[in-house]
Amino acid sequence: MSSSTTVGTAERPLRVAVIGSGPAGVYAADILTKSEAVKSGELTVSIDLFDRYPAPYGLIRYGVAPDHPRIKGIVNALHKVLDRGDIRFFGNVEYGTDITIDDLRSHYDAVIFATGAIKDADLNIPGIELDGSYGGADFVSWYDGHPDVSREWPLNAKEVAVIGNGNVALDVARVLSKHADDLLVTEIPENVYKGLKASPVTDVHIFGRRGPAQVKFTPLELRELSHSKDVDIVLYAEDFEFDEASDDAIQSNNQIKTMVGTLTNWIAEQPEDLSELKASRRLHLHFLHSPLEIVEDPENPGHVGGMRFERTELDGTGNARGTGEIIEYPVQAVYRAIGYFGSALPDVEFDHKRGVVVNDGGRVLDVDGQHVPGLYATGWIKRGPVGLIGHTKGDALETVTYLLADRENLPVAAEPAEDAVVSLLESRDVHFTSWEGWLALDEHEKSLGAEATAAGGSHGVAVERERVKVVPRDHMVKISRGGVQASV
């Protein structure tokens, strides 16, 4: 590292840009500020956090169901980090459009990509293109009020299939089956409430390829299913198959033991005659079903009319194999929720099979497999969409450790002044938002909730609403930029 001013001192802090303000990005920034080198005074850092959306928190704001009890705790933790004032937030800034890799290289000594994954993983089966076949992640973006998706969603199916046995599948199925009035206590936008309120759904089916001991959701997610009012959970005895690997998993893993125990208790308490179930909606949990084909409705060409599966059986190792038995369910909509997939970033080498930035432990690699000095990745764009929040923290620590180890050899930014990037964005007429702007938007959303509460609830339902989410991007930007500019 060659510079007339030593980088990493009070006179010239190490300048770091983090692209993405979800947990991965915020944790990386936080870990860097709390590193031993910084705490000891050996190193000083200046960190700017960029996000394509006007509001922070990434997938926590736009990828987690609004009725999740853990949202608030995670948001509070991220808020505390960004509210300290030692990390600047620039919202409504699109990497590759508003700011390029060359811009970042010019203004920062290191860049950490933490852009996550927002697209649905593909499910390559016949009929996937039919009208009524949807990506679960797209539906999540709709009900979470994502500013870049349509305000409308076609909720006209009475019977729905959800493919997947992970947390997203359970979220999608729970929101589809839950009565809209019971979601008024959350921050759902008005258009989402109206769409769900008009839904004629009676039956939502969740399908997994393996058995109850191989599910990928968590006990909390599973228990939340039973909290929905006027929704019966339906299970099927023929799906409860356990092989040697299942028994081992139940004995050795408390989480699996808890989930299997919950499921077996539910089926034990279920009446033998399912006609005795009286709820207006039913949520069916199916195991040992491998999706084969989405069937076209012969009376409505081009639209979903059913879903065809092959029954599977466990092979002793916890994996499933086909039995040759084919079963078809009448459904008018299918949601695939088999995982997220990352999106390529301009000017960064990308693994299109795994959906991740090509990297080694967080060090971004070029086409020849060599580390690109100064470029790093963390979170789902680094390792793929697996793991929970705890994994994200460990992942960020690994990346930041490598960045700190490399700091003597980082390329030196030519224009590192903190106000230089502000001038750049302003010169391009980028309507960026700030942390102060987010606080203003945050208060505005809370005021909308207070107004709904003071009016005696919403739509004749007396509930206390903590907030109502603002959806249109231009409204979010206008509220955020109401005379408040980013501090420099």
Side-chain angles (χ1 to χ4, degrees), residues 103-348:
D103 298 328
L104 294 170
R105 291 294 218 175
S106 177
H107 297 296
Y108 300 93
D109 308 302
V111 179
I112 302 174
F113 293 102
T115 50
I118 60 171
K119 295 195 306 182
D120 283 284
D122 290 334
L123 178 62
N124 295 316
I125 59 173
I128 197 71
E129 77 290 344
L130 290 172
D131 190 5
S133 170
Y134 309 112
D138 291 337
F139 181 58
V140 172
S141 291
W142 174 77
Y143 67 59
D144 270 334
H146 194 295
D148 296 337
V149 302
S150 170
R151 304 290 297 280
E152 306 300 323
W153 190 273
L155 290 164
N156 46 29
K158 289 187 176 182
E159 299 158 301
V160 179
V162 178
I163 312 302
N165 257 180
N167 285 341
V168 175
L170 290 196
D171 281 351
V172 167
R174 191 179 66 255
V175 171
L176 283 168
S177 60
K178 202 166 188 173
H179 291 277
D181 287 350
D182 294 330
L183 286 167
L184 281 174
V185 295
T186 75
E187 62 186 22
I188 61 168
E190 182 71 6
N191 65 295
V192 175
Y193 170 78
K194 289 181 176 179
L196 293 171
K197 182 70 173 178
S199 170
V201 69
T202 59
D203 293 83
V204 177
H205 301 261
I206 306 175
F207 294 96
R209 189 173 58 85
R210 296 188 292 171
Q214 285 78 41
V215 294
K216 296 299 183 182
F217 40 75
T218 58
L220 175 63
E221 292 272 359
L222 182 61
R223 286 194 295 269
E224 283 178 16
L225 294 184
S226 64
H227 298 162
S228 296
K229 299 175 184 176
D230 191 35
V231 180
D232 282 326
I233 297 174
V234 184
L235 300 108
Y236 299 88
E238 62 269 25
D239 292 344
F240 280 73
E241 179 182 310
F242 301 95
D243 60 0
E244 184 177 345
S246 300
D247 292 335
D248 290 343
I250 293 168
Q251 295 302 316
S252 61
N253 187 305
N254 285 332
Q255 178 167 296
I256 294 174
K257 183 177 182 179
T258 298
M259 288 190 291
V260 170
T262 298
L263 290 166
T264 52
N265 285 339
W266 284 351
I267 196 169
E269 295 167 359
Q270 181 175 286
E272 289 187 19
D273 183 356
L274 296 183
S275 66
E276 295 179 18
L277 297 173
K278 300 302 182 184
S280 66
R281 294 179 177 178
R282 290 162 292 281
L283 182 56
H284 306 256
L285 294 175
H286 303 271
F287 305 103
L288 302 173
H289 283 68
S290 181
L292 291 181
E293 180 182 5
I294 300 175
V295 180
E296 185 175 24
D297 185 350
E299 297 182 4
N300 192 8
H303 292 72
V304 172
M307 184 79 198
R308 190 169 293 147
F309 297 87
E310 180 181 14
R311 289 284 301 182
T312 61
E313 62 183 7
L314 299 177
D315 64 1
T317 69
N319 290 314
R321 60 193 173 206
T323 65
E325 179 186 353
I326 307 300
I327 186 169
E328 185 174 319
Y329 295 84
V331 296
Q332 299 82 51
V334 175
Y335 291 77
R336 66 185 185 279
I338 57 174
Y340 284 89
F341 199 79
S343 301
L345 300 172
D347 303 310
V348 181

Side-chain angles (χ1 to χ4, degrees), residues 71-129:
I71 291 180
K72 194 170 182 179
I74 297 172
V75 166
N76 287 343
L78 300 179
H79 177 96
K80 287 179 181 178
V81 173
L82 296 180
D83 202 44
R84 293 195 311 246
D86 57 345
I87 300 167
R88 290 195 303 181
F89 172 73
F90 290 85
N92 203 42
V93 179
E94 176 86 18
Y95 167 73
T97 302
D98 299 321
I99 195 165
T100 68
I101 191 68
D102 289 338
D103 298 328
L104 294 170
R105 291 294 218 175
S106 177
H107 297 296
Y108 300 93
D109 308 302
V111 179
I112 302 174
F113 293 102
T115 50
I118 60 171
K119 295 195 306 182
D120 283 284
D122 290 334
L123 178 62
N124 295 316
I125 59 173
I128 197 71
E129 77 290 344

Side-chain angles (χ1 to χ4, degrees), residues 12 216 251 378 446:
R12 165 63 164 90
K216 296 299 183 182
Q251 295 302 316
T378 191
K446 289 177 181 176

